[in-house]
């Protein structure tokens, strides 16, 4: 992709993008997924005279890998990692893990989950971690009760904040 502005600004921008991905199913219960995105941009110009012209180059790479494991209809596990690199910024990595188990009986079901995520934002020197359990009981087709408890930690070079959150809910449809 090339764009030009030849009026007073004398700006020329060249962009290139590439994306590639793959899904692999080595077993009916296992799915592996990987994606890679690459972008580069070069901007030349920006001044009204030849002496003011300059060149700016930017690059961005994003990689993601996911694993999904569903060995039983009642058990689901998921893991993901994402890594981003950009010109002028430090690398950022994000982790996410989740698992759920569902127990069904006549007239209702119980779903139990555990979630975990972790994020390093180097540009702001911030590390975030959030995790905790979640339960949902479907009493009948019109009513369910849910409870979640999450522990979060946000840490920078100068401070750390710990938070515990309890959420409850009753949903009744009529």
């Amino acid at each position: 992709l090339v764009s030009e502005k030849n009026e007073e600004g004398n700006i020329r921008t060249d962009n290139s993008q590439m994306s590639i991905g793959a899904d692999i199913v080595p077993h009916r219960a296992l799915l592996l997924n990987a994606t890679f995105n690459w972008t580069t941009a070069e901007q030349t110009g920006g001044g009204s005279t030849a002496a003011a012209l300059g060149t700016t180059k930017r690059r961005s790479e994003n990689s993601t890998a996911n694993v999904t494991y569903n060995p039983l209809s009642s058990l689901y596990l998921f893991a993901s990692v994402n890594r981003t690199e950009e010109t002028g910024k430090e690398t950022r990595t994000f982790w996410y893990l989740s698992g759920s188990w569902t127990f069904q009986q006549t007239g209702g079901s119980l779903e139990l989950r555990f979630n975990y995520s972790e994020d390093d934002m180097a540009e702001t020197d911030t590390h975030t971690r959030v995790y905790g359990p979640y339960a949902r009981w479907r009493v009948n087709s019109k009513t369910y009760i849910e409870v979640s408890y999450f522990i979060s930690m946000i840490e920078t070079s100068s401070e750390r904040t710990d938070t515990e959150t309890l959420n409850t809910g009753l949903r009744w449809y009529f």
Side-chain angles (χ1 to χ4, degrees):
L1 174 65
V2 176
S3 64
E4 292 187 36
K5 180 180 178 185
N6 289 324
E7 299 165 4
E8 290 292 317
N10 296 320
I11 297 173
R12 177 185 168 92
T13 304
D14 295 311
N15 291 312
S16 300
Q17 297 178 343
M18 180 182 72
S19 296
I20 189 168
D23 290 331
I24 301 170
V25 184
H27 185 271
R28 66 167 188 77
L30 182 64
L31 171 64
L32 307 173
N33 167 269
T35 58
F36 178 77
N37 298 302
W38 175 79
T39 303
T40 185
E42 182 175 316
Q43 188 173 50
T44 306
S48 58
T49 65
L53 297 178
T55 300
T56 303
K57 294 182 181 183
R58 292 186 315 267
R59 178 192 57 82
S60 174
E61 293 179 7
N62 182 281
S63 305
T64 302
N66 301 313
V67 177
T68 304
Y69 186 56
N70 194 200
L72 308 168
S73 62
S74 60
L75 180 62
Y76 177 83
L77 302 171
F78 177 78
S80 179
V81 62
N82 178 280
R83 182 178 176 93
T84 302
E85 296 180 23
E86 294 181 61
T87 302
K89 298 181 180 179
E90 292 195 35
T91 301
R92 179 177 179 183
T93 304
F94 178 78
W95 292 88
Y96 181 78
L97 303 170
S98 178
S100 68
W101 176 73
T102 304
F103 175 73
Q104 294 188 353
Q105 58 185 16
T106 306
S109 66
L110 175 65
E111 178 182 355
L112 302 174
R113 287 188 215 164
F114 188 85
N115 295 309
Y116 176 91
S117 65
E118 192 167 326
D119 192 3
D120 281 316
M121 294 180 284
E123 61 196 37
T124 59
D125 192 28
T126 304
H127 179 83
T128 303
R129 180 181 298 135
V130 179
Y131 61 95
Y134 166 91
R136 178 175 170 171
W137 178 38
R138 196 171 105 202
V139 179
N140 57 42
S141 63
K142 295 184 177 185
T143 309
Y144 67 83
I145 299 168
E146 60 186 356
V147 177
S148 64
Y149 177 71
F150 289 102
I151 299 168
S152 65
M153 182 271 304
I154 301 171
E155 188 173 21
T156 66
S157 58
S158 61
E159 68 179 349
R160 176 178 164 149
T161 304
D162 293 304
T163 307
E164 296 180 26
T165 306
L166 176 66
N167 295 308
T168 60
L170 169 65
R171 303 284 169 113
W172 182 23
Y173 301 99
F174 51 97

